Amino acid sequence: MKHFIVLALLCLGVAQLSEAARPVSTEVVQKLKELEPVYKQLQDTVINEVAGAKLTTASRTDAFYKAVIADKEASLATSVQLEDEIIYQLNGQGPSADSSCLQMIRSLVDSNMNIAGVGYSNCVNTVEAGVNEELDKVYKLLQVDESELFDISLLDVFKGENIILDPSKIINKLNDKRTEIDGISLSFVSDINAAVNAYASRLGDLQNTYKTCLLTNESILKVTFESSKSQLTQICMGTFVQ
């Protein structure tokens, strides 16, 4: 009878121990359920950040092109105004001016405007090559292989483990998995933002270079027209018209 009581107590103890261990096993499933939305959030973050970065890049590129066009329009207007001023002087000359000499100045003015046109084309071609190069760089960075980022299995934590015998090992693996996912998300967002910001900065540099090119072209054209004005009065026997 005593042996029976002892055996019964032992069985009861084992049953209680087993029952006490199962909540830890259940915690594994709970941890897994908590981790799944985090993994889904990583996927959403990657997809949304890449899409947002591409939209931002397109917007910055559009703003860049608009600025380039506006700068070109303003510079062209300045050049045409310079030409109009010298043409006004040529058209206002009296009979005392050498007509053949005036015609040569007209030809020079026309040639100088054509040369300025070459300069404008060079400015545009240079900036276009620059922006294409920068676009290639940024879009290569934005060509994210989601499969590499999403190549995280939520279920590999069970390999070689026993959810009943030693669930704590699985819980530790799940905690490590959470840390890994959080790290990927933060690092990825930081890299994407850095790439877009760097692209915007380089576009600003390109625009400044383009403006400098336009101003240089205008300055050279202005010098040639000032020279033509001097030729008008000093060689062609013309006068300065108010």
Side-chain angles (χ1 to χ4, degrees):
M1 183 65 178
K2 290 182 179 179
H3 290 296
F4 176 77
I5 293 173
V6 171
L7 181 60
L9 289 174
L10 286 173
C11 290
L12 179 60
V14 171
Q16 289 176 339
L17 179 62
S18 176
E19 186 178 352
R22 284 173 188 164
V24 182
S25 299
T26 304
E27 186 181 346
V28 171
V29 178
Q30 186 60 36
K31 282 278 186 182
L32 193 59
K33 289 168 68 176
E34 293 172 359
L35 185 59
E36 189 280 328
V38 176
Y39 177 67
K40 176 62 166 58
Q41 183 61 46
L42 170 63
Q43 293 179 313
D44 291 346
T45 297
V46 169
I47 293 170
N48 290 333
E49 287 294 332
V50 171
K54 288 180 178 179
L55 285 173
T56 300
T57 298
S59 177
R60 297 286 177 84
T61 305
D62 178 61
F64 170 79
Y65 277 127
K66 285 179 178 177
V68 165
I69 292 170
D71 290 339
K72 185 176 182 63
E73 182 180 28
S75 185
L76 181 61
T78 298
S79 297
V80 171
Q81 183 179 0
L82 290 172
E83 181 187 31
D84 287 344
E85 289 176 1
I86 187 67
I87 294 297
Y88 174 77
Q89 293 297 322
L90 292 171
N91 290 341
Q93 297 305 307
S96 61
D98 187 330
S99 59
S100 61
C101 186
L102 294 178
Q103 185 57 44
M104 283 187 278
I105 292 180
R106 288 182 186 277
S107 296
L108 281 174
V109 169
D110 189 57
S111 295
N112 285 328
M113 283 296 289
N114 289 336
I115 292 171
V118 174
Y120 282 128
S121 294
N122 290 340
C123 293
V124 171
N125 292 338
T126 299
V127 77
E128 180 67 6
V131 73
N132 285 339
E133 181 180 351
E134 295 302 332
L135 277 170
D136 287 343
K137 288 180 183 178
V138 73
Y139 277 119
K140 281 181 181 178
L141 292 173
L142 296 180
Q143 292 302 318
V144 179
D145 186 356
E146 288 89 348
S147 64
E148 293 183 3
L149 291 171
F150 298 158
D151 189 22
I152 301 175
S153 174
L154 299 183
L155 304 179
D156 61 355
V157 294
F158 293 97
K159 288 182 180 179
E161 305 297 345
N162 188 317
I163 191 172
I164 301 298
L165 180 64
D166 194 355
S168 61
K169 288 185 178 180
I170 301 176
I171 290 175
N172 289 336
K173 286 184 177 181
L174 286 170
N175 289 334
D176 291 341
K177 188 78 67 176
R178 172 65 181 266
T179 301
E180 180 185 2
I181 291 174
D182 288 342
I184 290 174
S185 180
L186 291 174
S187 174
F188 176 79
V189 171
S190 176
D191 291 345
I192 286 291
N193 289 336
V196 174
N197 290 336
Y199 172 69
S201 176
R202 291 193 295 269
L203 284 188
D205 293 339
L206 282 173
Q207 187 177 351
N208 289 334
T209 300
Y210 178 67
K211 285 182 178 180
T212 300
C213 184
L214 294 179
L215 290 173
T216 299
N217 201 44
E218 289 174 26
S219 297
I220 293 173
L221 183 63
K222 188 173 183 179
V223 168
T224 64
F225 284 168
E226 289 299 323
S227 176
S228 293
K229 288 179 182 179
S230 296
Q231 290 172 330
L232 170 64
T233 56
Q234 297 180 23
I235 298 176
C236 298
M237 297 179 292
T239 57
F240 187 75
V241 180
Q242 296 294 333

mmCIF file of all heavy atoms in Angstrom, residues 22 35 66 68 77 111 127 143 176 216 219 238:
data_model
loop_
_atom_site.group_PDB
_atom_site.id
_atom_site.type_symbol
_atom_site.label_atom_id
_atom_site.label_comp_id
_atom_site.label_asym_id
_atom_site.label_seq_id
_atom_site.Cartn_x
_atom_site.Cartn_y
_atom_site.Cartn_z
ATOM 1 N N ARG A 22 4.509 23.132 -20.001
ATOM 2 C CA ARG A 22 3.772 23.406 -21.231
ATOM 3 C C ARG A 22 3.467 24.882 -21.464
ATOM 4 O O ARG A 22 3.417 25.308 -22.618
ATOM 5 C CB ARG A 22 2.495 22.565 -21.258
ATOM 6 C CG ARG A 22 2.793 21.117 -21.592
ATOM 7 C CD ARG A 22 1.616 20.222 -21.482
ATOM 8 N NE ARG A 22 2.016 18.823 -21.635
ATOM 9 C CZ ARG A 22 1.275 17.802 -21.295
ATOM 10 N NH1 ARG A 22 0.081 18.009 -20.762
ATOM 11 N NH2 ARG A 22 1.708 16.568 -21.471
ATOM 12 N N LEU A 35 5.897 37.650 -33.705
ATOM 13 C CA LEU A 35 6.963 37.945 -34.659
ATOM 14 C C LEU A 35 6.444 38.072 -36.089
ATOM 15 O O LEU A 35 6.980 38.846 -36.886
ATOM 16 C CB LEU A 35 8.039 36.853 -34.593
ATOM 17 C CG LEU A 35 9.294 37.071 -35.439
ATOM 18 C CD1 LEU A 35 9.988 38.372 -35.048
ATOM 19 C CD2 LEU A 35 10.251 35.894 -35.284
ATOM 20 N N LYS A 66 13.153 71.188 -64.789
ATOM 21 C CA LYS A 66 12.434 72.461 -64.853
ATOM 22 C C LYS A 66 13.382 73.630 -64.590
ATOM 23 O O LYS A 66 13.293 74.677 -65.246
ATOM 24 C CB LYS A 66 11.290 72.467 -63.838
ATOM 25 C CG LYS A 66 10.100 71.610 -64.258
ATOM 26 C CD LYS A 66 9.002 71.632 -63.210
ATOM 27 C CE LYS A 66 7.802 70.799 -63.668
ATOM 28 N NZ LYS A 66 6.743 70.738 -62.632
ATOM 29 N N VAL A 68 16.653 73.638 -65.080
ATOM 30 C CA VAL A 68 17.572 73.741 -66.219
ATOM 31 C C VAL A 68 16.901 74.480 -67.378
ATOM 32 O O VAL A 68 17.504 75.353 -68.017
ATOM 33 C CB VAL A 68 18.031 72.331 -66.666
ATOM 34 C CG1 VAL A 68 18.684 72.383 -68.045
ATOM 35 C CG2 VAL A 68 19.008 71.751 -65.649
ATOM 36 N N ALA A 77 17.246 84.533 -73.416
ATOM 37 C CA ALA A 77 16.627 85.861 -73.495
ATOM 38 C C ALA A 77 17.686 86.953 -73.370
ATOM 39 O O ALA A 77 17.640 87.973 -74.073
ATOM 40 C CB ALA A 77 15.579 86.011 -72.398
ATOM 41 N N SER A 111 27.260 85.375 -86.776
ATOM 42 C CA SER A 111 28.190 84.271 -86.509
ATOM 43 C C SER A 111 28.413 84.090 -85.011
ATOM 44 O O SER A 111 28.460 82.958 -84.503
ATOM 45 C CB SER A 111 29.534 84.531 -87.203
ATOM 46 O OG SER A 111 29.390 84.521 -88.608
ATOM 47 N N VAL A 127 25.405 68.780 -68.978
ATOM 48 C CA VAL A 127 24.528 68.560 -67.825
ATOM 49 C C VAL A 127 23.662 67.321 -68.035
ATOM 50 O O VAL A 127 23.355 66.588 -67.084
ATOM 51 C CB VAL A 127 23.653 69.804 -67.547
ATOM 52 C CG1 VAL A 127 22.487 69.910 -68.514
ATOM 53 C CG2 VAL A 127 23.137 69.779 -66.114
ATOM 54 N N GLN A 143 17.480 49.429 -57.036
ATOM 55 C CA GLN A 143 17.072 48.126 -57.561
ATOM 56 C C GLN A 143 17.281 47.075 -56.474
ATOM 57 O O GLN A 143 18.195 46.268 -56.514
ATOM 58 C CB GLN A 143 17.881 47.772 -58.817
ATOM 59 C CG GLN A 143 17.576 48.637 -60.020
ATOM 60 C CD GLN A 143 16.111 48.582 -60.419
ATOM 61 O OE1 GLN A 143 15.498 47.522 -60.429
ATOM 62 N NE2 GLN A 143 15.540 49.734 -60.739
ATOM 63 N N ASP A 176 16.289 36.416 -31.102
ATOM 64 C CA ASP A 176 17.375 36.792 -32.015
ATOM 65 C C ASP A 176 16.821 37.157 -33.390
ATOM 66 O O ASP A 176 17.306 38.078 -34.054
ATOM 67 C CB ASP A 176 18.377 35.639 -32.152
ATOM 68 C CG ASP A 176 19.159 35.396 -30.866
ATOM 69 O OD1 ASP A 176 19.197 36.311 -30.017
ATOM 70 O OD2 ASP A 176 19.720 34.295 -30.719
ATOM 71 N N THR A 216 29.123 81.937 -68.479
ATOM 72 C CA THR A 216 30.370 82.072 -69.243
ATOM 73 C C THR A 216 30.061 82.321 -70.713
ATOM 74 O O THR A 216 30.682 83.177 -71.369
ATOM 75 C CB THR A 216 31.224 80.795 -69.098
ATOM 76 O OG1 THR A 216 31.552 80.606 -67.720
ATOM 77 C CG2 THR A 216 32.504 80.900 -69.909
ATOM 78 N N SER A 219 28.864 85.844 -71.144
ATOM 79 C CA SER A 219 29.970 86.803 -70.995
ATOM 80 C C SER A 219 30.804 86.892 -72.262
ATOM 81 O O SER A 219 31.186 87.990 -72.703
ATOM 82 C CB SER A 219 30.860 86.398 -69.814
ATOM 83 O OG SER A 219 30.139 86.452 -68.605
ATOM 84 N N GLY A 238 30.614 104.810 -87.925
ATOM 85 C CA GLY A 238 29.249 104.941 -87.439
ATOM 86 C C GLY A 238 29.204 105.745 -86.153
ATOM 87 O O GLY A 238 30.231 106.189 -85.633
#
